[in-house]
Amino acid sequence: MRMHSPSMSELHAFATAVRLGSFSRAAAELCVTQSAISRAVARLEQHYGVPLIKRNAHALSLTSVGRELLDAVRAPLGAIEEVSARLRVMPADRPLHLAVVPTFASVWLIPRLRSFQALHPGIKLNFVPYSKGEDFSGSTPDAAVLTGLGPEEWPHCSCDYVIGREMVPICHPARLQQRLAQGAWRAPGDLAQEPLLYHTTAPGNWTQWLRAAQAGRQAPNLTTAFDQVSMLIQAVIADMGVALVQRCLVKEALQSGAVVVPFDLPISLQRGYYLCAPHDRRPRPGFAQFRRWLLEAAGEDIRGMGMGERRD
């Protein structure tokens, strides 16, 4: 028998866009791109051969056929989602797939994972490729540690602040000795004229730090950008300039004497690391335990910095 009904994904895109009044909001809720929603609705209209949605700059409205279709499918779609969520049982031994900012993973997270494994030997973690623009549209990751300014950057996710707002300037020991011998670097604002290294995603960090350090509104002398904190640290070790980095990521370099802190101030900025998991998926086995352990480990580290624990 020839099937006359369209695909479930197209019906979900159509119903969600109408309910939320926006293709972009529907895309955020369904964890796909706005163009994917637009294409799904276009395929649905092509399937029926008539327009279903009227679009304008401010809102969406239904045609008479679109209203008839929505009235017919809204309840069945909800019923199918409800029973699917109830029946979809994840295997208890399924690994928890995580995507993590590379430098944070290698410098901070992985050295601490043995304690997590000791507490939860039955939970297996798999690390999958990290994407700066992670939208959880694929089957993995189940959760990700992302960097940003706050939960509003990921409206389709539950987000917990982990660590990383606590920033500190670092430089090569020889540069500090030279500037002190010259009688320079008497105040934090003196750093503004040095060659300042910065992260590509956060070029404003130096301006924010200088203001927080009561250095006035001096324009920072930004020179070279890097897209990973590990590269920033290596550039400082090569004495290319002064970098502003997350305090939690430079403990080893500071202890070894490879880098030093010219002005050690308790300054926190807005950007940090967040543990994010999409709203539309059932929590994977082991996620709750990993979340609890991660936030406790981060809180302990923050308290060790003498800066107090901050949670959003």
Side-chain angles (χ1 to χ4, degrees):
M1 181 181 74
R2 182 174 181 269
M3 300 296 294
H4 296 282
S5 56
S7 73
M8 288 287 292
S9 61
E10 292 164 358
L11 290 173
H12 275 297
F14 165 72
T16 305
V18 173
R19 175 168 55 84
L20 298 177
S22 164
F23 281 12
S24 60
R25 287 194 288 271
E29 179 165 309
L30 297 178
C31 297
V32 297
T33 64
Q34 182 175 338
S35 61
I37 297 292
S38 180
R39 289 194 300 270
V41 172
R43 289 194 301 270
L44 201 59
E45 292 179 323
Q46 184 179 19
H47 176 82
Y48 288 111
V50 293
L52 301 173
I53 294 178
K54 297 177 183 177
R55 308 164 181 79
N56 59 49
H58 304 290
L60 303 177
S61 60
L62 288 169
T63 66
S64 59
V65 177
R67 171 57 60 187
E68 181 180 358
L69 177 64
L70 181 64
D71 290 343
V73 303
R74 182 159 34 193
L77 284 176
I80 292 170
E81 278 296 291
E82 183 179 353
V83 72
S84 295
R86 188 170 66 251
L87 296 179
R88 189 183 179 205
V89 179
M90 300 301 297
D93 59 349
R94 180 189 184 277
L96 177 64
H97 293 92
L98 299 171
V100 183
V101 179
T103 302
F104 179 76
S106 60
V107 175
W108 192 92
L109 180 58
I110 292 176
R112 291 169 169 78
L113 277 183
R114 288 187 64 184
S115 69
F116 175 77
Q117 292 173 334
L119 288 171
H120 305 285
I123 299 176
K124 182 179 179 182
L125 303 179
N126 278 357
F127 289 85
V128 299
Y130 163 79
S131 170
K132 291 180 180 178
E134 181 61 65
D135 61 3
F136 297 95
S137 57
S139 58
T140 60
D142 301 320
V145 176
L146 306 175
T147 180
L149 297 175
E152 62 275 8
E153 291 196 25
W154 309 282
H156 56 292
C157 291
S158 61
C159 300
D160 293 287
Y161 170 63
V162 181
I163 200 170
R165 292 180 183 146
E166 308 78 18
M167 305 294 289
V168 64
I170 59 172
C171 68
H172 192 281
R175 182 180 293 263
L176 175 60
Q177 292 175 6
Q178 182 183 51
R179 295 298 184 268
L180 292 178
Q182 294 169 345
W185 287 10
R186 296 178 179 177
D190 296 335
L191 296 180
Q193 303 310 311
E194 293 289 326
L196 300 182
L197 315 177
Y198 62 100
H199 200 287
T200 53
T201 62
N205 275 0
W206 267 114
T207 297
Q208 295 176 34
W209 187 88
L210 287 167
R211 290 178 182 175
Q214 300 181 344
R217 294 185 173 272
Q218 297 188 61
N221 178 33
L222 301 181
T223 56
T224 309
F226 298 89
D227 70 350
Q228 291 189 22
V229 178
S230 58
M231 297 171 67
L232 273 171
I233 297 171
Q234 289 303 312
V236 169
I237 293 174
D239 200 18
M240 291 179 60
V242 183
L244 191 63
V245 299
Q246 292 90 335
R247 186 185 292 264
C248 63
L249 300 183
V250 290
K251 285 186 177 181
E252 185 175 336
L254 289 171
Q255 291 172 355
S256 70
V259 303
V260 293
V261 178
F263 296 96
D264 195 354
L265 304 174
I267 292 177
S268 294
L269 302 185
Q270 293 177 311
R271 183 175 294 272
Y273 294 114
Y274 287 81
L275 175 65
C276 302
H279 287 308
D280 68 326
R281 300 182 190 174
R282 294 182 67 186
R284 298 306 195 244
F287 175 73
Q289 293 90 331
F290 177 76
R291 174 183 176 275
R292 186 183 307 112
W293 170 84
L294 180 66
L295 298 184
E296 289 176 355
E300 182 179 348
D301 200 3
I302 293 172
R303 289 189 293 273
M305 299 174 193
M307 304 185 71
E309 185 173 1
R310 294 176 57 185
R311 290 283 177 264
D312 290 333

